[in-house]
Amino acid sequence: MILGFNRGEDYIEVLCGTTNKVYGDYAGRLKINNNGEYFITCECCPGCPLVNVTPEAFEKHALKEGTGRWKSNIWVHCEDEDRVPLWKTPLTKYYTHQANVANWKDSAMRKRNFHRDEFLHCTSCRKERRFRLKNRPDIKNYHEALNNKSWTCSLWPYHKITCDDDEERPSLRASRGCSRSSTCQGCSTCYCEGCIKCRFEDCNCQECRDFMLYAEP
């Protein structure tokens, strides 16, 4: 049903494109291999040097940099409809985050998904220590600490402390940084069930593995 469909030994390929409101359509060929990797070769003009790049790089080439909506911006032609967004086609079922790290790595750093502060108990003194999840490195620090069954105060990533240092007062711990309410205990604004900003391709925990292999692009 998709125009330009071609099946190779270890890949499938279709015609694709994206539209710039000023310069018009940028045509290309989308290749998906057996591992679920997405590559696009641009055919916007003869001799275009863009070969086997990520969907996000193809977006940037079409001057759509920063949109991060490649599933909607990149389209294919079907027999009964023109310019069908990728997310409406069966092609996205082959996509995995694990196989396409290069496509989302930069956008993960730009994502503005809010993550509230979290607390972790020291396994030695049982005091709670705050982790501020402002960016992906901060979230990675908390994620690794959470998966460390012998985490102690000395491993706190912000500055050196010991189990002798006082923990935060209960009145301060009640605030976890939610922009909607200072005393929020978890809402749709500040609680995340998993996104490309807080799941990691090099982590072997069940949550990260499931997200990288099965979460929608």
Side-chain angles (χ1 to χ4, degrees):
M1 296 291 290
I2 299 178
L3 298 185
F5 177 81
N6 177 46
R7 183 187 296 276
E9 183 177 342
D10 60 353
Y11 68 90
I12 60 174
E13 186 179 62
V14 298
L15 294 174
C16 70
T18 188
T19 302
N20 182 293
K21 292 182 179 179
V22 177
Y23 300 108
D25 292 347
Y26 284 66
R29 287 187 172 273
L30 168 64
K31 180 183 290 186
I32 308 171
N33 66 21
N34 282 349
N35 295 324
E37 293 177 284
Y38 276 44
F39 300 105
I40 295 180
T41 295
C42 184
E43 298 179 344
C44 63
C45 64
C48 177
L50 221 66
V51 177
N52 288 342
V53 299
T54 65
E56 186 163 274
F58 183 58
E59 264 194 316
K60 292 180 181 178
H61 181 63
L63 304 181
K64 286 180 169 289
E65 184 172 359
T67 62
R69 301 179 63 245
W70 60 269
K71 300 181 299 296
S72 299
N73 291 331
I74 298 176
W75 40 256
V76 297
H77 292 301
C78 294
E79 292 180 359
D80 57 352
E81 186 178 357
D82 283 342
R83 294 180 176 82
V84 180
L86 281 180
W87 70 268
K88 287 187 175 181
T89 73
L91 295 172
T92 54
K93 73 179 182 181
Y94 300 110
Y95 186 95
T96 68
H97 294 291
Q98 185 71 51
N100 293 277
V101 173
N103 187 52
W104 56 260
K105 195 76 170 181
D106 290 339
S107 64
M109 302 304 289
R110 296 195 304 267
K111 282 281 185 180
R112 298 186 179 274
N113 299 32
F114 185 86
H115 294 76
R116 67 183 183 183
D117 296 349
E118 298 288 353
F119 289 88
L120 194 63
H121 283 286
C122 171
T123 58
S124 178
C125 67
R126 303 305 298 167
K127 291 177 181 176
E128 284 189 321
R129 303 302 184 186
R130 181 188 294 267
F131 284 76
R132 300 185 185 278
L133 311 188
K134 301 298 184 183
N135 51 50
R136 203 162 193 257
D138 284 346
I139 297 173
K140 184 70 176 290
N141 285 334
Y142 170 70
H143 189 75
E144 290 178 344
L146 184 65
N147 288 319
N148 182 354
K149 303 305 181 184
S150 57
W151 187 87
T152 61
C153 294
S154 62
L155 298 175
W156 199 52
Y158 303 104
H159 57 262
K160 187 173 180 60
I161 63 172
T162 68
C163 291
D164 294 331
D165 290 283
D166 293 334
E167 63 181 348
E168 286 188 22
R169 298 192 305 272
S171 58
L172 292 177
R173 290 204 302 271
S175 176
R176 301 179 70 168
C178 178
S179 58
R180 186 186 65 84
S181 171
S182 60
T183 58
C184 175
Q185 295 300 303
C187 67
S188 58
T189 298
C190 67
Y191 180 72
C192 179
E193 294 184 348
C195 68
I196 61 174
K197 195 172 181 178
C198 62
R199 294 291 180 259
F200 304 93
E201 73 281 2
D202 56 352
C203 178
N204 289 321
C205 77
Q206 193 66 47
E207 290 86 355
C208 287
R209 292 181 61 189
D210 287 348
F211 183 87
M212 289 297 163
L213 293 175
Y214 307 119
E216 293 184 359

